[in-house]
Amino acid sequence: MNVTEMKESGVVGVLEKPYAIDILETIMSKGKIKPVIGLETGIRYLEFEIYPNWREVVEELIQAKLVEKVIVDMVIACPRCDSIHISTRYHCRYCNSFHILFTEIIQHVICGYIDTKVKFKVENKQLTCPRCGAQLRREGIDYIILGRVFECRSCGRRMDKPEIKHVCRRCGLEFTVREARYKPVYAYRLSSLGEEIISKGLHVRKKLISLLTSLGYQVEENAKFPGYSGIEHSFDILAKGETNSIAIDFIGGGEREASLEILSRTIKALDTGTIKYVVIVRSIPETVKKMVESQGIIVVEGYLYRDIEEKMKKILMS
Ligand SMILES: [Zn+2]
Ligand SMILES: [Zn+2]
Ligand SMILES: [Zn+2]
């Protein structure tokens, strides 16, 4: 995608929103922005919180296909107040009491008495049979566990599964599983288009152009400039000043691709020796950097606008 295609796709519009570029750069630098889930604090994205309009911007970045969301969790939220400070309770299917117990059904082999564990009395830390009064000694010998059930402590009835209900700790609403809001929680990452835009520096061009313009340069995008050879070279940005001119190219891709690409630009640097030629690249190996710098290319590494701006200012003043 080039600048023209970006304009057509509406990407430029999103990037002009306050903090849109900062948000993209934040995602780029972290790889993925993950939620921090706290019952009382809700779902937070700490890295985004410094940008007051981040929810709106992230939504628009998703619409523009620069950012993708990935489901990382699900939470239960209150259908009345949307809080995620939710507790879960087990209720009796018969009387709705939440005072129920998961317990064992014990048979006292000696006398044949069967009941839930809670009905057997505890004496000296040992269970005693309520029918015959004998102490239970060893499981499998004088008593056996027949199974496990939920028993209601209010009405005494037993069930395999209790009724599950939730209660909102913020507003107090009790609600069923069917009434609950069961909400996805997302992490955010750059789409391949988003990565491409950042790695080619498309997001910093506009800001860089305003910077150069404010410093009194006449700035042209996708500009042509004739070399000594008579060949016209094109540059992503050409800024003509009173005393000096500066040409800027952005190179995207990983270190390998970027290295090959920047090496091929040395011809341009040689052929247009009267102007400063800056190449902005995310990162290249030190050896390649030295090599191309010896051929007259000024290398600016980075993808965060503030880093690039700082380096550009130094170059402009030198
Ligand atoms: Zn609530
Ligand atoms: Zn009950
Ligand atoms: Zn007994």
Side-chain angles (χ1 to χ4, degrees):
M1 183 179 261
N2 58 37
V3 178
T4 321
E5 284 164 2
M6 270 172 73
K7 278 178 187 150
E8 282 165 4
S9 72
V11 167
V12 168
V14 186
L15 294 183
E16 278 169 2
K17 282 227 141 198
Y19 303 119
I21 287 168
D22 306 80
I23 287 171
L24 275 183
E25 289 180 345
T26 302
I27 302 175
M28 178 89 180
S29 63
K30 300 277 175 191
K32 197 189 264 179
I33 303 297
K34 294 179 191 149
V36 177
I37 304 173
L39 291 182
E40 285 174 67
T41 47
I43 300 156
R44 294 177 61 185
Y45 296 88
L46 304 179
E47 292 89 346
F48 286 155
E49 284 181 358
I50 46 168
Y51 311 115
N53 59 341
W54 74 265
R55 281 176 200 279
E56 184 194 325
V57 173
V58 167
E59 217 29 68
E60 287 189 35
L61 290 169
I62 291 169
Q63 297 268 306
K65 297 193 163 56
L66 297 179
V67 170
E68 293 171 345
K69 53 183 183 182
V70 199
I71 289 193
V72 289
D73 209 337
M74 296 288 283
V75 289
I76 299 160
C78 172
R80 183 159 71 193
C81 76
D82 209 38
S83 165
I84 63 162
H85 194 179
I86 304 299
S87 294
T88 300
R89 288 180 186 149
Y90 299 156
H91 289 256
C92 173
R93 292 186 175 276
Y94 306 100
C95 75
N96 197 36
S97 165
F98 54 66
H99 190 189
I100 67 172
L101 192 71
F102 189 52
T103 183
E104 291 157 346
I105 302 172
I106 293 176
Q107 178 176 30
H108 190 212
V109 178
I110 313 293
C111 73
Y113 183 74
I114 299 173
D115 215 332
T116 44
K117 193 175 180 180
V118 69
K119 306 286 170 42
F120 286 75
K121 282 173 269 174
V122 181
E123 273 173 22
N124 304 323
K125 292 183 182 170
Q126 275 201 299
L127 294 173
T128 304
C129 175
R131 181 192 278 170
C132 70
Q135 278 197 343
L136 274 56
R137 299 191 189 280
R138 270 183 69 187
E139 191 199 329
I141 306 292
D142 63 331
Y143 74 96
I144 47 177
I145 293 170
L146 298 173
R148 288 174 173 80
V149 285
F150 287 91
E151 184 175 279
C152 177
R153 301 297 289 134
S154 300
C155 74
R157 277 176 276 200
R158 294 173 195 166
M159 63 215 95
D160 275 348
K161 279 186 218 156
E163 176 80 23
I164 293 168
K165 286 189 182 173
H166 303 297
V167 60
C168 174
R169 294 294 174 196
R170 188 203 274 165
C171 77
L173 181 72
E174 190 178 271
F175 54 97
T176 65
V177 171
R178 283 162 187 270
E179 289 159 343
R181 277 187 203 153
Y182 192 46
K183 299 202 302 186
V185 182
Y186 299 103
Y188 298 97
R189 66 177 181 212
L190 292 185
S191 66
S192 49
L193 177 63
E195 290 222 16
E196 190 188 337
I197 281 178
I198 297 253
S199 90
K200 287 188 180 165
L202 295 176
H203 64 302
V204 301
R205 282 187 205 195
K206 274 226 134 53
K207 284 184 162 184
L208 205 52
I209 288 167
S210 338
L211 171 74
L212 291 163
T213 310
S214 73
L215 294 172
Y217 287 87
Q218 280 213 317
V219 186
E220 204 184 326
E221 270 188 273
N222 306 316
K224 301 259 189 294
F225 190 82
Y228 298 122
S229 64
I231 294 170
E232 273 204 327
H233 298 283
S234 64
F235 297 97
D236 290 335
I237 296 174
L238 181 64
K240 290 181 189 157
E242 299 211 332
T243 51
N244 61 357
S245 291
I246 184 161
I248 302 167
D249 273 342
F250 292 86
I251 292 179
E255 284 208 339
R256 220 188 95 79
E257 291 168 84
S259 296
L260 288 172
E261 189 58 38
I262 202 168
L263 284 167
S264 75
R265 305 289 172 95
T266 51
I267 308 291
K268 258 165 128 177
L270 288 172
D271 201 25
T272 56
T274 53
I275 55 171
K276 280 182 185 168
Y277 178 39
V278 176
V279 172
I280 299 175
V281 62
R282 201 196 305 178
S283 144
I284 49 166
E286 205 49 38
T287 45
V288 177
K289 189 176 172 183
K290 285 214 175 88
M291 205 184 294
V292 297
E293 281 182 337
S294 72
Q295 302 297 310
I297 294 181
I298 304 166
V299 179
V300 170
E301 283 179 288
Y303 61 87
L304 297 177
Y305 177 71
R306 59 172 183 277
D307 295 347
I308 293 172
E309 185 190 78
E310 199 179 304
K311 289 173 186 167
M312 283 304 296
K313 279 182 174 164
K314 279 187 192 145
I315 293 164
L316 292 168
M317 285 188 297
S318 65

